[in-house]
Amino acid sequence: MLVLTLDAALPGCSAGVVRGGVVLAERLSDAPRGQPGALPAMAQAVLAEAGIRAGALSAIAVTVGPGSFTGLRAALSLAHGIAVAAGVPVLGVTVGEAMHDPANPRLQWAAIDTRRSRVFLDCNGAVQSAALDSLPAPTGPLTIAGDAAPEVAARLHARGFDVALHAARLPTPAGIAAAAAYRDPSSRRFFQATILIAVLDLTFFALSGAHL
């Protein structure tokens, strides 16, 4: 599967072209501000570097949250625009799915900072909001990724839980493409469901006040 990946869910953003798990081109930015405006140029650059026309893509894979409302809106709008022009489907994946490591047998969370003394905890697609002073107890040995991972890991470790830090703080094109590979881009029903989930995600995060 040949995929253009887009992400602006957290501080920083990325775009990449991935074929069969191999990254052909990628642009990564860890700038804390202004990432949504940079994403169209990054997408154009990776397509050009990979020598791929949008119409040759199998799908556009984009993160749908949790994260910044502004970043999610920008990435989803860009993904939808390219997909409509190229006639390819959009595949939405959560930040946790994009950072999930299938080779790691431990429980895995992605911890996303909301800047309001709360975090979103994404366990391979299942998302919940939690206050830092009342984090849920993991059900087994845990590995945490995401931009709030150090804070969450420290608090859980202080409570005696077996917690390890994953190196990933932001989704990568390779991780987004790997998560999207589990989707069925030929399914119209899935395409409609993905767009609906994205809209619901945006509404939820807007109402929650995360990263506004």
Side-chain angles (χ1 to χ4, degrees), residues 187-211:
S187 169
R188 178 174 176 82
R189 180 179 179 184
F190 178 75
F191 171 75
Q192 292 171 333
T194 299
I195 297 300
L196 176 59
I197 289 169
V199 171
L200 291 175
D201 276 344
L202 288 174
T203 302
F204 171 74
F205 297 125
L207 292 175
S208 72
H211 284 312

Side-chain angles (χ1 to χ4, degrees), residues 11 28 44 56 128:
L28 308 173
Q44 185 176 31
Q128 63 177 303

Side-chain angles (χ1 to χ4, degrees), residues 17-47:
V17 176
V18 184
R19 176 190 280 129
V22 178
V23 178
L24 304 182
E26 66 179 1
R27 294 288 187 278
L28 308 173
S29 171
D30 59 2
R33 295 183 182 276
Q35 71 269 22
L39 201 57
M42 294 170 70
Q44 185 176 31
V46 294
L47 287 170

Side-chain angles (χ1 to χ4, degrees), residues 33-121:
R33 295 183 182 276
Q35 71 269 22
L39 201 57
M42 294 170 70
Q44 185 176 31
V46 294
L47 287 170
E49 181 179 328
I52 300 295
R53 296 176 62 86
L57 295 167
S58 304
I60 315 294
V62 59
T63 50
V64 297
S68 158
F69 174 77
T70 301
L72 291 171
R73 180 178 58 187
L76 287 164
S77 296
L78 179 60
H80 182 65
I82 296 173
V84 169
V88 298
V90 175
L91 306 180
V93 302
T94 70
V95 170
E97 289 172 323
M99 292 195 283
H100 181 77
D101 180 2
N104 186 347
R106 298 163 65 96
L107 179 67
Q108 297 181 57
W109 290 357
I112 311 306
D113 182 17
T114 72
R115 302 177 185 172
R116 297 175 184 271
S117 298
R118 300 184 67 85
V119 291
F120 288 120
L121 300 176

